[in-house]
Amino acid sequence: MASTEHEDRYRVFTIPPEEARRIDEAEYFARKPRFTSLFVLVFLVGVGAASLIALRPPAPLASDAPATEFSALRAIQHNYVIATEPHPSGSPANDRVQAYIVDTLRSFGVDAQVVTTYFAEGQSAGRSNFILARIPGTGNTKAFGLMAHYDSTPYGPGAADDCSGVISLLEIAHVLKASPPLKNDIVFVFTDGEEVGLRGAKAFANHPWFNEVALMTNLESRGTQGNSLVFDTSEQNGWLVAELMRGMRYLCASSFMYDVYKMLPFSSDFDALRRHGMKGCDIAFIDNFAWYHTANDRPEHLNLATLQQHGSCGLDLARHFGSIPLDGTITAPDATYFNVFGYWLARYPLSWGEPLAFAVAAFVGLVLLIGLVTRKISVTGTIAGAVMLPITAAIAAAACVGILAYVWGPDIATRLYTENFTRIPDLTPLYHNALYTTSYVAASIAVASLIYGALSRWVSSLSLLAGAYVWWIALLFVLNLYLPGGSYAALWPLAISAAGTFACFLFSKRGQLRPGWIVFLSFFAAPAVLLFTPMYRSFAATVMIAGAPGFAAFVVLVLGLMIPQLDLMGRVNRWWLPALSTAVAIGLVTAGVMNSSFTRDRPKLDSVSYGIDYDANKAYWLSPDREPDEWTAQFFPPGTQRAQYSEFASSNEPVLKAPAPIAPEYPGPQVTIASDVTTNAVRELTLHIASPAKAASMAVRVQSDANVLGASLFSKTLATEERGLHVDINVFPPEGVDLALRLAAGGPVTVNARETFYGLPSIPGIKPRPDYIIASPNTVDHGGRALDSNRIFVTRTVHF
């Protein structure tokens, strides 16, 4: 009897194993899974950090590196010679850079020549220059070409854009001459006039060597640092991409960039060659737009690791394509390609995109069906998830636009999104672009973690995740339709995440998802982080802080694949992650705003130009700025009114306009009659137009009371109007030009010639700009105003 009592008591107080596990789990949640949530957070952040670290440019090689290896330290020495001052096309500084390139190549034992041609098409004409050099191969099939442009903008010395490409080509030529000879010829093309219409590249397309080159790689820049990206290729790139993967050590490329670039209104020298059938690719680095086209594009600001990667890419391609036959088929159907981790690329035919999209969509549909059948998710919960994702993205976008409005001002933010997204009014916030675009990530995480942390109390995190899948499927098909090369960005994160969820639906228990399963799902969310972190950085360098709403949607979409992880972190305390993320966002924004004082590296922008009107015998200072600053005030005293400057440009834009002394070193354009013959009621009039001060460009407008029957320049036909013509002559020849006109006999002819020079005149008493103020580049308010800074216009009208 005693024994039975004891057994009964034992049964009362002994907890069966299954019940014990349930109690342990309840106690675990009661104690809150701090360690597990911290592990998940550190793991996912670590994956993102690893993806960036793996893509770091290589360390620069010292100047005493082997002569057979590309050395950034050797290459940069050329920049301290050619990138000391602005050298736009048509300037004396440009001529000096041209001579240096030729002399340097010849010092390596590479024959180099300057090719000068003249063009006239429509209402444009001028002189085109490019430099050609060639290293012969031992058994040439067809040549491989490398190209860069040596002209800069008038606003800066162009150490990155594009002297980085020029010095890379010089160092590559030096390395190849010190290395065993290659099989194929290597052709080097240094173009002039890229900044004024791709003129040098267009001229090379008509040179006999053009048809001897099978492939061309153009080295470019739109910043001063970051990875060198293969951002564009010729069409039918399947063969090319496969060879790039075989030949390049530091290959950063994606078919997403290729598709996006085709939609943008930008162009490069390679575009000019591609229109004539050239195959190849464009390579550029794009980070730090704030110094692009400015006085801060100096040699000391060019990142040496970036230069090492840039030049190594060119050298790798020269050696690879210099060693394989190039006289066969070098095209194949377009490929889908992207960096998976570091410099390792995935590649498969672009044609697989649509079948894969349908297969993944079907798989996700099956996963959701299993989730509904096993009652791990509900229809209403999935609908709630699908509804909440865009709402979360909209709230995050509002937060990011609020950051933009704070750092750039509400008026500028409003104009960006209501008038013209491409008009950047000021560079000041872009000096801290990385801080602000990272703050968008933190702000978006704060919003998403707050919303989903709260929502997970009423709706299961798996149902919310299922709702997010709906949007990922939509994104997959939108990309496949409009940007097929970018469909991988939705395809693989969605497929891998759904695979983890599939296992969870099959084997996890109903109810609140256990921490162990969330850790498991984190490994299936990691590929999205791995893929999207470098992509976010590239987008941040491309569209910068102006893309605030898009960045928020980008982050929230990725977080949609991590809703269970957000739920787990909310179980610890629903406020800690939103609070931490908000603090990070505020800290980043504060750091940027507190370091926004103007310095040489973060300069203020202003704009001043100068014009002489010899018809009125008057000169003026001109500026499109809203108001004078402490330097431009010397040109525009208080009370200076805005007025048109139509005597110097075809524009109705009112600008600050103040009287100025006439600079005697600019005597103005000279227009004289070279010949004047009338036969059968047709007047053949040839005008010689000259620039004693050697203008960079010349605009000529002819008006006649008689009909203009035709006109030519450089023996090439120009477009005419019934009573005249207008032609812009870029890179004006120093010897002048002869403009031939055919007119109906009778009536006077009026010719207006307007010279343009770069810089400002040397007038006594004018104080130089402080080092914390620079001339506004053409990247600021581009398209919003016609008057560029640091220009000298000289106009004269002659009647015949």
Side-chain angles (χ1 to χ4, degrees):
M1 186 70 179
S3 175
T4 305
E5 248 179 59
H6 176 76
E7 289 174 1
D8 288 342
R9 287 174 185 163
Y10 184 83
R11 277 195 292 270
V12 170
F13 293 102
T14 299
I15 303 172
E18 184 68 24
E19 185 66 21
R21 280 195 296 271
R22 285 198 293 270
I23 292 175
D24 287 344
E25 184 176 343
E27 289 177 352
Y28 185 85
F29 285 125
R31 287 187 281 111
K32 300 169 185 175
R34 292 185 177 87
F35 175 79
T36 311
S37 61
L38 182 61
F39 170 81
V40 168
L41 179 63
V42 171
F43 170 71
L44 293 175
V45 171
V47 168
S51 69
L52 296 179
I53 293 171
L55 276 172
R56 285 181 303 176
L61 295 186
S63 55
D64 60 354
T68 55
E69 292 296 327
F70 185 93
S71 164
L73 271 297
R74 275 198 300 260
I76 197 67
Q77 299 307 314
H78 299 299
N79 238 1
Y80 285 101
V81 178
I82 65 178
T84 57
E85 61 180 327
H87 47 277
S89 293
S91 67
N94 182 271
D95 295 336
R96 291 192 289 271
V97 170
Q98 182 187 89
Y100 179 85
I101 295 171
V102 172
D103 292 344
T104 301
L105 289 167
R106 290 174 178 171
S107 73
F108 298 154
V110 180
D111 184 39
Q113 56 181 302
V114 178
V115 180
T116 299
T117 63
Y118 296 90
F119 70 93
E121 52 188 27
Q123 295 182 329
S124 296
R127 185 182 67 183
S128 298
N129 294 322
F130 57 95
I131 300 168
L132 283 181
R134 192 172 196 142
I135 298 179
T138 58
N140 186 52
T141 55
K142 288 195 82 171
F144 172 72
L146 289 166
M147 179 168 59
H149 71 88
Y150 61 86
D151 61 311
S152 76
T153 66
Y155 315 102
D161 180 29
D162 184 31
C163 287
S164 65
V166 170
I167 65 178
S168 292
L169 264 59
L170 291 176
E171 173 66 0
I172 291 169
H174 171 257
V175 169
L176 292 180
K177 288 296 290 184
S179 303
L182 299 170
K183 179 180 179 180
N184 295 323
D185 294 358
I186 305 299
V187 170
F188 297 87
V189 183
F190 301 82
T191 64
D192 188 16
E194 190 271 352
E195 302 289 358
V196 289
L198 318 178
R199 297 314 326 178
K202 291 177 179 178
F204 172 65
N206 295 312
H207 191 274
W209 282 18
F210 176 84
N211 294 318
E212 298 175 17
V213 177
L215 292 165
M216 180 71 72
T217 291
N218 181 44
L219 298 184
E220 256 288 6
S221 160
R222 201 217 64 165
T224 61
Q225 63 188 30
N227 285 113
S228 287
L229 309 169
V230 180
F231 68 91
D232 184 30
T233 72
S234 50
E235 292 75 16
Q236 296 291 295
N237 62 24
W239 179 91
L240 176 63
V241 172
E243 294 302 322
L244 294 179
M245 293 174 65
R246 293 186 183 100
M248 292 177 68
R249 291 168 289 174
Y250 309 113
L251 175 56
C252 292
S254 84
S255 46
F256 204 161
M257 282 190 289
Y258 169 60
D259 273 1
V260 169
Y261 180 74
K262 288 191 294 185
M263 301 176 66
L264 298 176
F266 306 128
S267 57
S268 70
D269 274 343
F270 180 70
D271 288 309
L273 303 188
R274 176 167 45 193
R275 296 182 192 113
H276 293 267
M278 180 61 73
K279 306 300 180 184
C281 62
D282 257 315
I283 301 179
F285 50 93
I286 61 173
D287 201 359
N288 198 9
F289 178 87
W291 286 345
Y292 173 62
H293 281 192
T294 74
N296 272 318
D297 191 1
R298 309 193 303 265
E300 59 268 31
H301 283 159
L302 177 58
N303 185 277
L304 290 175
T306 293
L307 179 60
Q308 183 67 42
Q309 183 185 359
H310 207 48
S312 296
C313 288
L315 178 60
D316 286 351
L317 292 179
R319 283 177 165 160
H320 180 72
F321 290 118
S323 303
I324 65 174
L326 295 178
D327 54 352
T329 301
I330 59 173
T331 59
D334 281 338
T336 297
Y337 53 95
F338 54 96
N339 288 86
V340 176
F341 183 74
Y343 295 110
W344 187 78
L345 228 70
R347 173 181 61 90
Y348 53 87
L350 185 69
S351 59
W352 289 11
E354 188 172 334
L356 284 172
F358 280 105
V360 168
F363 172 63
V364 175
L366 175 63
V367 170
L368 298 185
L369 179 61
I370 292 173
L372 291 171
V373 170
T374 58
R375 300 177 66 184
K376 302 295 174 51
I377 61 174
S378 66
V379 173
T380 55
T382 301
I383 293 173
V387 170
M388 285 308 301
L389 190 74
I391 293 175
T392 303
I395 296 172
C400 293
V401 171
I403 293 173
L404 175 70
Y406 179 71
V407 301
W408 224 342
D411 291 343
I412 291 175
T414 302
R415 289 203 303 272
L416 275 174
Y417 298 124
T418 60
E419 295 179 13
N420 191 337
F421 179 75
T422 64
R423 287 182 60 180
I424 297 173
D426 183 19
L427 291 178
T428 304
L430 301 186
Y431 297 134
H432 298 299
N433 183 64
L435 290 178
Y436 296 138
T437 51
T438 305
S439 76
Y440 294 163
V441 177
S444 299
I445 292 174
V447 170
S449 60
L450 182 63
I451 290 175
Y452 284 110
L455 196 60
S456 296
R457 296 172 178 269
W458 293 279
V459 183
S460 76
S461 60
L462 287 177
S463 290
L464 295 174
L465 176 62
Y469 283 166
V470 173
W471 288 101
W472 275 86
I473 292 172
L475 174 65
L476 174 59
F477 283 102
V478 168
L479 288 176
N480 210 61
L481 185 61
Y482 296 104
L483 296 168
S487 63
Y488 71 86
L491 181 80
W492 297 111
L494 175 60
I496 296 170
S497 175
T501 305
F502 177 68
C504 190
F505 284 164
L506 287 180
F507 303 112
S508 70
K509 296 185 180 299
R510 288 174 54 194
Q512 192 175 41
L513 200 60
R514 293 181 61 185
W517 274 106
I518 296 177
V519 171
F520 172 80
L521 289 176
S522 298
F523 289 99
F524 289 84
V529 179
L530 198 68
L531 194 63
F532 277 87
T533 302
M535 190 182 298
Y536 184 93
R537 184 178 64 175
S538 294
F539 286 164
T542 303
V543 299
M544 300 165 292
I545 65 173
F551 289 132
F554 185 106
V555 174
V556 170
L557 189 67
V558 175
L559 290 175
L561 299 181
M562 290 177 271
I563 292 174
Q565 289 77 12
L566 295 178
D567 172 33
L568 176 67
M569 294 172 197
R571 295 177 195 176
V572 176
N573 182 304
R574 62 181 296 189
W575 300 105
W576 77 271
L577 185 56
L580 176 62
S581 301
T582 301
V584 170
I586 292 173
L588 291 170
V589 172
T590 302
V593 172
M594 295 296 290
N595 288 279
S596 293
S597 58
F598 294 117
T599 66
R600 189 185 185 199
D601 288 345
R602 299 191 303 268
K604 179 190 292 189
L605 307 178
D606 65 20
S607 180
V608 173
S609 289
Y610 171 82
I612 303 175
D613 178 7
Y614 276 112
D615 296 336
N617 208 35
K618 293 181 179 180
Y620 303 94
W621 298 114
L622 309 165
S623 175
D625 293 350
R626 292 188 176 185
E627 57 185 26
D629 62 20
E630 60 268 35
W631 181 71
T632 58
Q634 65 182 318
F635 308 106
F636 308 104
T640 298
Q641 298 297 309
R642 291 188 175 272
Q644 294 183 0
Y645 62 107
S646 54
E647 63 268 55
F648 303 116
S650 301
S651 173
N652 294 321
E653 174 190 13
V655 299
L656 293 171
K657 188 174 184 180
I662 293 178
E665 64 266 34
Y666 299 101
Q670 306 296 318
V671 184
T672 56
I673 295 178
S675 66
D676 189 356
V677 178
T678 300
T679 304
N680 296 328
V682 175
R683 184 183 184 185
E684 306 256 358
L685 176 63
T686 300
L687 303 175
H688 182 72
I689 304 171
S691 174
K694 303 295 184 276
S697 63
M698 181 89 70
V700 179
R701 183 176 294 277
V702 177
Q703 291 181 305
S704 171
D705 286 351
N707 289 341
V708 176
L709 306 176
S712 64
L713 193 64
F714 309 126
S715 301
K716 302 177 188 296
T717 302
L718 292 173
T720 62
E721 301 168 359
E722 183 179 358
R723 299 288 183 175
L725 68 89
H726 178 206
V727 58
D728 293 316
I729 308 171
N730 293 308
V731 191
F732 189 78
E735 67 276 11
V737 301
D738 289 328
L739 175 62
L741 302 171
R742 295 180 68 251
L743 312 100
V749 175
T750 300
V751 180
N752 174 260
R754 188 190 74 237
E755 300 169 307
T756 299
F757 303 84
Y758 299 120
L760 293 174
S762 299
I763 293 178
I766 298 300
K767 292 179 284 188
R769 276 188 175 97
D771 64 358
Y772 64 89
I773 300 178
I774 62 173
S776 295
N778 59 350
T779 58
V780 173
D781 210 13
H782 185 58
R785 55 185 182 181
L787 181 61
D788 290 320
S789 59
N790 277 35
R791 294 290 196 279
I792 299 170
F793 307 107
V794 185
T795 183
R796 172 177 279 123
T797 302
V798 181
H799 304 279
F800 298 106

